[in-house]
Amino acid sequence: MQLVIFLTKNSIKMIEINKVPSPCFVMEEELLRNNLSLIKSVKDRAGVNIILAFKAYAMWKSFPIIREYIPCSTASSVYEAQLAYEEMGSLAHTFTPAYTSENFPLFMRYSSHITFNSLSQFDRFYPETLKHSHKVSCGLRINPEYSTVETDLYNPATPGSRLGVSLDQLGDKLPEGLEGLHFHTLCESSSYDLEKTLEVIEQKFGHLLSQVKWFNMGGGHLMTRKDYDVEHLIGLLQSFKAKHPNLEIIMEPGSAFAWQTGVLVSTVVDIVENRGIKTAILDVSFACHMPDCLEMPYKPHIRGAYHEPVQGLPTYRMGGSSCLSGDFVGEWSFDEPLLIGDKIIFEDMIHYTIVKTTMFNGISHPAIALWNKSNQLEIYREFSYEDYKTRMS
């Protein structure tokens, strides 16, 4: 019997499962365009600049699609900045915790904006920007010491954070040459979280906002999530702009671009049982390919499975293919027992997955593909032993 999967939940499009290499990240162009349309609408209606954060999504073969809606991006490393220049076709808005004398010239080459994490970094490198061939606008990251993010791993405002300058380190006047301020304290957050954050920032840093030309609100704005209040966001941004007409407002979400745009297709290669717990061993690894599932942690949705165990139904952990003992997540229930060779399709696996994958244990990296608007599977990349070997030495 020919096996098919629905690659879009709310459409009739289907693709033969045997045409998808396993494992494989598959993004759908239609879903990506839906997100891009919403993001561009917010950008235009609110009168702000929204750019793509590569740290969440850097599938550069899809950049021609993204450039139809959003032309700029943000970078946190030299490689990301070079990718912005070469594949997005624009200079990057750059921030990294610390620049060095070796990499700063490269950052300048590929950046239009450079944000510094400390006053000492600004003092050290600002003179270099004045010598550069194109104008580089300099900013400073501030730390409001407030965040609604509950997971410390993703919270840059925890006590003692290494990220950003707190109010007690700043006076009433910013150093000459600083043209922008930047904060990033959100993570998959709502517009109401942003509203609370802006209230704190205005209380603490409001006296400095009139001294700069741009204000970067960082990432974490999950405006493409179904329950996100887009109208509230637009009103909030318009109100902030009205109070600070001197400022260009910049936002740099990452997850919002790729949110629920694709899946990770995997295959059951074995089923083991230990003391009544059944584990489906897959040809993917949580540690290597879905690290946020272990780091956050969170339990991803599996297409066709019950997200929580159902008494009386076949129930399984999902086990990764590495030898890490903790490379598993569970449990899910299914209407029928799983068999070796069955496909397991993890939902929403495009953002913060491909950018964080590793080849730990020599595990094969999933292929990367696009289900395009012509209803064809376009393989962007497949990986081989040589990819692993050349990374090791």
Side-chain angles (χ1 to χ4, degrees):
M1 183 176 73
Q2 189 180 46
L3 295 174
V4 298
I5 60 171
F6 288 86
L7 210 46
T8 304
K9 293 180 182 178
N10 300 317
S11 80
I12 59 172
K13 292 191 298 186
M14 294 185 291
I15 180 171
E16 294 178 20
I17 193 69
N18 58 12
K19 290 185 177 180
V20 181
S22 183
C24 184
F25 292 105
V26 184
M27 183 179 69
E28 185 171 353
E29 181 177 349
E30 180 182 329
L31 298 179
L32 175 63
R33 287 186 180 275
N34 289 345
N35 283 354
L36 291 169
S37 294
L38 187 149
I39 292 169
K40 186 177 187 302
S41 173
V42 172
K43 175 180 182 291
D44 294 342
R45 291 176 60 197
V48 300
N49 188 11
I50 301 181
I51 60 181
L52 168 64
F54 284 174
K55 70 176 183 178
Y57 177 85
M59 194 189 297
W60 59 268
K61 288 188 178 179
S62 70
F63 287 179
I65 300 171
I66 292 175
R67 285 199 306 266
E68 295 178 30
Y69 304 81
I70 299 294
C72 296
S73 56
T74 179
S76 298
S77 64
V78 168
Y79 289 168
E80 285 185 346
Q82 185 171 352
L83 190 67
Y85 181 78
E86 293 183 352
E87 300 300 336
M88 282 292 281
S90 58
L91 296 171
H93 292 238
T94 294
F95 166 82
T96 194
Y99 303 94
T100 68
S101 56
E102 291 77 21
N103 66 28
F104 194 71
L106 292 172
F107 275 114
M108 285 194 296
R109 180 187 304 176
Y110 300 124
S111 304
S112 60
H113 296 64
I114 291 181
T115 295
F116 295 92
N117 187 53
S118 67
L119 289 169
S120 60
Q121 281 262 300
F122 171 75
D123 291 340
R124 178 181 175 187
F125 290 108
Y126 172 63
E128 297 300 312
T129 67
L130 300 177
K131 306 172 188 176
H132 198 61
S133 57
H134 69 257
K135 174 72 167 63
V136 177
S137 185
C138 294
L140 183 70
R141 178 166 177 165
I142 56 175
N143 186 341
E145 300 179 284
Y146 169 85
S147 176
T148 57
V149 177
E150 296 179 353
T151 303
D152 283 351
L153 183 65
Y154 301 96
N155 184 357
T158 53
S161 172
R162 76 191 199 286
L163 298 173
V165 177
S166 56
L167 179 62
D168 62 302
Q169 300 176 59
L170 293 170
D172 292 332
K173 186 172 177 56
L174 291 171
E176 183 178 351
L178 277 175
E179 296 185 336
L181 292 176
H182 170 279
F183 77 91
H184 185 155
T185 61
L186 303 177
C187 178
E188 297 187 359
S189 302
S190 72
S191 60
Y192 298 93
D193 295 323
L194 174 60
E195 184 174 38
K196 295 173 185 175
T197 304
L198 289 178
E199 289 173 358
V200 173
I201 287 175
E202 289 201 274
Q203 290 170 8
K204 291 187 172 184
F205 300 95
H207 62 289
L208 301 176
L209 294 177
S210 62
Q211 301 177 32
V212 293
K213 299 178 180 179
W214 52 266
F215 186 54
N216 189 325
M217 297 183 179
H221 315 278
L222 195 48
M223 61 188 74
T224 51
R225 187 173 56 196
K226 286 184 179 180
D227 62 350
Y228 193 98
D229 193 336
V230 173
E231 295 305 316
H232 178 258
L233 173 65
I234 292 171
L236 177 64
L237 294 172
Q238 290 172 336
S239 175
F240 190 86
K241 280 173 55 68
K243 285 190 288 185
H244 306 283
N246 58 301
L247 293 177
E248 175 195 7
I249 305 301
I250 303 165
M251 306 175 78
E252 45 184 42
S255 293
F257 280 80
W259 185 257
Q260 294 187 337
T261 57
V263 300
L264 175 57
V265 177
S266 65
T267 302
V268 177
V269 295
D270 196 13
I271 297 173
V272 299
E273 184 171 354
N274 188 339
R275 295 192 177 274
I277 297 175
K278 293 182 180 179
T279 301
I281 307 295
L282 308 176
D283 60 355
V284 293
S285 163
F286 291 97
C288 300
H289 310 138
M290 299 172 276
D292 276 358
C293 293
L294 303 181
E295 291 176 0
M296 178 66 89
Y298 81 98
K299 181 181 175 185
H301 287 272
I302 293 176
R303 189 161 300 183
Y306 298 93
H307 193 61
E308 298 300 331
V310 177
Q311 188 172 4
L313 290 181
T315 299
Y316 304 84
R317 282 180 178 174
M318 295 296 129
S321 51
S322 81
C323 66
L324 176 69
S325 299
D327 191 0
F328 70 89
V329 174
E331 298 172 319
W332 294 259
S333 292
F334 297 80
D335 287 323
E336 301 292 337
L338 291 179
L339 301 174
I340 293 173
D342 282 348
K343 301 301 177 185
I344 299 295
I345 302 167
F346 291 97
E347 303 282 10
D348 196 20
M349 281 292 160
I350 303 300
H351 60 93
Y352 280 110
T353 50
I354 302 167
V355 294
K356 296 181 77 171
T357 53
T358 73
M359 289 186 172
F360 165 66
N361 238 178
I363 302 296
S364 176
H365 193 292
I368 302 172
L370 176 75
W371 179 245
N372 63 33
K373 61 182 180 181
S374 299
N375 293 339
Q376 299 295 321
L377 185 71
E378 183 180 342
I379 302 294
Y380 277 166
R381 177 77 187 274
E382 291 184 279
F383 297 83
S384 68
Y385 164 70
E386 291 301 320
D387 294 300
Y388 168 71
K389 181 181 180 181
T390 54
R391 283 193 62 190
M392 297 304 107
S393 62

